[in-house]
């Protein structure tokens, strides 16, 4: 755990496997304040899943970021198709943590390594800069720099963090808190060659070969309980 | 053009470059009715951008699929952050073509090659099956099979297609119409190693090496004008 936190502080990747009884998936994780175009390239080439942001419930509240599932549910009278598409059957958890998709306003298409890196790094910087602002001012600052729809989904951790949900978003926000970093992480699921997610054993081998720390959800929960308790 | 349409009918990729004055980007394109987990793997490994669906304005109308930018704008009184994030400064076009993100209800995480292939192929099949339904029945069928939020964005072509907008979505829907296929395409932007999109010249070289047809937006517009005129 110590090594993983040190690596995060040094802008390095950590590999996080959630749990056999959840997604059973390993994600690349890096603190967004240190993300680079090369890190995006690594995630898309060796990971291949969705490249996404993770942040804390507190930051989402400050920015009034809604969960997309809640927003859709609330406006389904105006948009009846949303009522039909209600995500009431997610197999690995009760609720999706997806909020809005954003692009930094300085991006061009929003999808290149340079653009995705910029959006993510700037979002981490923004969350730092709004710390002492009220929510109206914080939203204005957010909107000055970012637009939505965009290419980077923001996943928002549950309010009670690991006590409520043990997804990658909560695990990563806990790690960043313990590392003393801005609680904004960048991640990407690691796919295998067989049509499925890369197996835990293969992900461990990949981590070893490339010098990345490999963490399991259970270890993070244990460390978090000690640290926060 | 003939070769490209034949390839699409045979379930093969075609590479589509839009225009130097637009995104200046080459996308993998395949008819979604023929997409496979191996095709998804090719797109994420050799493309590396967002893997997305494209469909016609008529299908979106039948399913009452909103443009996400319009939806956000309409509900911004309830969600003030959406007002701040208004995408009024997209550098390459006037409007984003993104509608909802979906997963097929039989998917697990939604992001593996198997899952993304299933979502896309089943969406193509759905659009075929709703042809003679009214919109209420069509939406119900849609919701029985799919949920939102999900991992696959649906991009919707402009109502007047290439007369109105010349993005990848319109170009691909035009190609699929000319090929006599279900107007649902799967695509992915091709990234380069330098942080930017792969250059047109490099994309052409890649197409040649791998036996894919390479098309430019202008050629498609010309063929479409002849075919539809």
């Amino acid at each position: 755990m110590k090594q993983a936190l040190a690596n995060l502080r040094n802008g390095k990747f950590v590999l996080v496997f959630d749990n056999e009884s959840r997604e059973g998936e390993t994600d690349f994780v890096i603190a967004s304040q240190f993300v680079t175009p090369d890190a995006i390239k690594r995630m898309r080439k060796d990971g291949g899943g969705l490249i996404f942001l993770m942040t804390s419930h507190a930051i989402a509240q400050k920015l009034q970021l809604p969960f997309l599932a809640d927003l859709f549910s609330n406006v389904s009278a105006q948009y009846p198709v949303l009522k039909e598409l209600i995500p009431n059957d997610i197999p690995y958890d009760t609720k999706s943590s997806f909020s809005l998709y954003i692009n930094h306003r300085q991006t061009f298409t929003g999808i290149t390594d340079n653009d995705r890196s910029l959006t993510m790094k700037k979002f981490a910087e923004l969350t730092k800069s709004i710390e002492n602002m009220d929510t109206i001012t914080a939203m204005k600052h957010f909107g000055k720099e970012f637009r939505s729809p965009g290419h980077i989904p923001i996943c928002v951790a549950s309010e009670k963090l690991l006590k409520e949900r043990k997804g990658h978003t909560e695990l990563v926000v806990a790690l960043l808190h313990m590392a003393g970093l801005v609680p904004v992480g960048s991640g990407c699921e690691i796919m295998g060659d067989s049509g499925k997610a890369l197996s835990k054993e293969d992900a461990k081998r990949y981590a070893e070969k490339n010098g990345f720390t490999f963490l399991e959800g259970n270890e993070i929960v244990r460390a978090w309980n000690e640290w926060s308790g």
Side-chain angles (χ1 to χ4, degrees), chain A residues 8-9 29-34 52-63 65 120-131 154-158 161 168-187 224 227:
Chain A
L8 285 173
R9 277 190 289 260
V29 170
I30 188 169
S32 301
Q33 63 195 95
F34 301 127
F52 62 103
L53 275 168
M54 293 160 274
T55 195
S56 68
H57 197 264
I59 287 171
Q61 268 199 317
K62 177 68 75 81
L63 293 173
L65 283 175
M120 293 181 139
K121 199 177 159 72
K122 289 289 183 186
F123 184 73
E125 288 172 12
L126 174 92
T127 64
K128 186 84 189 137
S129 76
I130 60 170
E131 260 176 5
I154 308 176
C155 288
V156 174
S158 298
L161 208 63
H168 284 98
T169 305
E170 288 78 15
L171 294 168
V172 169
V173 167
L175 280 174
L176 294 167
H177 279 307
M178 291 190 278
L181 295 165
V182 177
V184 179
S186 297
W224 175 253
W227 188 85

Side-chain angles (χ1 to χ4, degrees), chain A residues 93-162:
Chain A
D93 214 319
T94 52
K95 203 180 153 180
S96 149
S97 62
F98 280 77
S99 177
L100 303 178
Y101 287 68
I102 59 169
N103 281 345
H104 193 272
R105 292 194 188 269
Q106 304 289 320
T107 58
F108 184 61
T109 59
I111 194 66
T112 60
D113 297 341
N114 289 342
D115 279 357
R116 289 202 268 193
S117 173
L118 183 75
T119 293
M120 293 181 139
K121 199 177 159 72
K122 289 289 183 186
F123 184 73
E125 288 172 12
L126 174 92
T127 64
K128 186 84 189 137
S129 76
I130 60 170
E131 260 176 5
N132 298 312
M133 292 179 192
D134 61 76
T135 182
I136 302 286
T137 317
M139 275 196 292
K140 287 218 180 300
H141 275 254
F142 184 34
K144 238 185 235 168
E145 275 196 79
F146 296 87
R147 66 173 102 94
S148 179
H151 287 83
I152 306 283
I154 308 176
C155 288
V156 174
S158 298
E159 189 167 5
K160 291 177 192 159
L161 208 63
L162 292 168

Side-chain angles (χ1 to χ4, degrees), chain A residues 1 16 171 174-175 178 215-224:
Chain A
M1 184 59 59
V16 176
L171 294 168
L175 280 174
M178 291 190 278
L215 289 178
E216 295 199 34
N218 291 338
E219 302 172 64
I220 300 174
V221 172
R222 229 176 299 132
W224 175 253

